[in-house]
Amino acid sequence: MSEYDVIIVGSGAAGLTAAIALADHCNVLVLAKGELTGGSTAWAQGGIAAVLDAGDTFDNHIDDTMVAGAGLNRRETVEFVVENAPASIERLVEMGVPFNKDAEALHLTREGGHSHRRIVHVDDATGWAVQAALLKTAEAHPNITLLPGQACIDLITGRHEERYSGSGRVWGVYALDEKSGKVHAHVGRATILASGGAGRVYQFSTAPRGATGDGIAMAWRAGCRVSNMEMMQFHPTCLYNLDVKNFLITEAVRGEGGILKHPVTGHRYMPDYDARAELAPRDVVARANDDQIKRSGLDYVHLDISHLDPDFVAGHFPNIYEKLLTLGIDMTKQPIPVVPAQHYTCGGILIDLAGRTDLPGLYAAGECTESGLHGANRLASNSLLECFVFGEAAAKDIIARWDQLEPPPPIRPWDESRVTDSDEEVIIKQNWTEIRRFMWNYVGIVRTTKRLERAQHRINMMTGEVEDYYGHFRVTTDLIELRNLLQCAELIVKSALHRKESRGLHYTLDYPDLLPQAVDTVLVP
Ligand code: FAD
Ligand code: SIN
């Protein structure tokens, strides 16, 4: 067992921001599954939204966020995040993030749904630069211990105290050391879940392999409410390539003038769907691409920016340009084949403005949460921003309440006395593939009640099998992830069946209209 003041699950933007903000006050353990750079943060392309332009205002950013979110956002959260954005960018600059500049000012690019240029970026690989700066800062702090290769299994609560209390108080996590195969308890006065999204519940996703909703599932099992899980965001422009399955083509390509075309007729179709054309919010563009593909029986649509100056295109999108060249596509001369793919989990663990969850001692920040910022659809580049603002907010609240956060009691070690090594790994692979396929086909961009019920039926059948397997065999990362994927699939489908309207990312042919009032879908365990 290891004991620290605060345990953080996740080494992405949210987890490291919290760790850095805490480290002058207490010692912190940061756990990560696989490598420290394995989350979505390192993969972010477009940038971070903040009001920095003279002609822009907080009200504009708030309005754009609420319009994209189809009114489901909590306004006080939107205001809180938008107003804290410039300070978050300032802290990143101080940590050495080399944002692109225009003379002395930061260069601002544009993305769909934004009425102004307001996205700071590092070329087209912002996430990598942010991840590197946060890691460098965290590594340099003597109070931060970074421990990669740890797959957290479940939260430690009053049920795991040596003198059983059964309370919901959270004391840390049980985590599988991926190298030794041993499970250890990591305990602290406070725990922060910053474990990212659940994108890999879908067959096609831009998210990294580890985005299996572990934190959401752990929090749910421990007794937290989750909210708006039906709001799964699909990015309109993921590269279509038979070998490279999840390479994102940033929204900034459309922001800078890229247009979507039918690959056979060359028709620019976005104006037929929305007056904002390619700069409409993501849900609108993703549905239009899906419609074109399904209507004409296509494999992909075209995203074309080859009408712009080739030096501008290659200079503004150097990483995408190079990557596409290796695949035989010159984006300065020809269109890019693209398809929609799952991209972001808008719903998650319900938190307040201080990052507090329903359980005492448990905080959460970043993509694993539902803070009220995104509503029914996240505005582009608001997500990294949410990680910085809520990572900081959770840290501040822990520091402010330090005297009330008692040290952990003795905790029971992980019990492996009744399990053996698995003899049929094939079950994990089979179930994993099955979930991702039916979620894509039945719970995707366009839904129907019948399809959702089919998915629910399959989830019900698989749940017994997976729980039985979990109860009998020693845990592996694959098994932990499968259990969590299935749990998240269940939460998504349950939430989708609950919503009897089409709002934002939840679009169902059975209820195509918007209800007069925007109401969160809150599931209570
Ligand atoms: P992540 O960065 O995903 O980190 C999750 C962490 O949790 C990882 O360290 C992981 O190892 C750890 N973890 C997970 N499960 C466990 C477990 N069981 N045990 C231990 N550790 C665990 N947003 C923007 O605002 N702007 C963009 O330009 C942008 N571009 C994007 C491009 C791509 C391709 C993708 C996929 C997303 C993009 N997003 C963007 C979204 C944004 O990157 C993410 O929402 C954000 O980085 C999430 O940060 P996070 O800290 O919440 O989680
Ligand atoms: C992108 O660069 O298109 C992704 C931006 C985001 O997800 O916010």
Side-chain angles (χ1 to χ4, degrees), residues 220-231:
W220 170 258
R221 284 194 294 267
C224 290
R225 288 171 302 162
V226 300
S227 176
N228 296 345
M229 284 297 287
E230 72 277 31
M231 299 305 177

Side-chain angles (χ1 to χ4, degrees), residues 30-45:
V30 179
L31 300 162
K33 192 166 63 171
E35 295 180 8
L36 292 169
T37 53
S40 294
T41 296
W43 290 26
Q45 292 186 352

Side-chain angles (χ1 to χ4, degrees), residues 8-16 30-49 111 119 126-127 131 147 149-153 174-175 193-197 205-208 210-215 218 235 246-248 250 282 342-345 365-369 374 378-387 477 480-481 484:
I8 299 180
V9 180
S11 57
L16 291 182
V30 179
L31 300 162
K33 192 166 63 171
E35 295 180 8
L36 292 169
T37 53
S40 294
T41 296
W43 290 26
Q45 292 186 352
I48 308 161
E111 291 181 337
I119 320 292
T126 309
Q131 179 81 63
L147 210 52
Q150 308 295 315
C152 297
I153 306 166
Y174 289 113
L193 288 171
S195 47
S205 169
T206 63
T212 48
D214 298 358
M218 282 195 275
H235 198 291
N246 60 350
F247 185 69
L248 180 74
T250 176
R282 238 170 234 181
Q342 190 286 340
H343 182 63
Y344 184 81
T345 309
E367 193 172 336
C368 65
T369 68
H374 308 307
R378 174 177 68 97
L379 183 65
S381 287
N382 264 357
S383 158
L384 284 169
L385 178 58
E386 182 187 38
C387 294
T477 302
I480 293 167
E481 291 181 337
N484 294 331

Side-chain angles (χ1 to χ4, degrees), residues 107-127:
H107 177 262
L108 302 173
T109 190
R110 187 166 183 173
E111 291 181 337
H114 287 277
S115 56
H116 284 74
R117 283 186 171 269
R118 66 168 74 100
I119 320 292
V120 297
H121 63 107
V122 182
D123 294 334
D124 52 356
T126 309

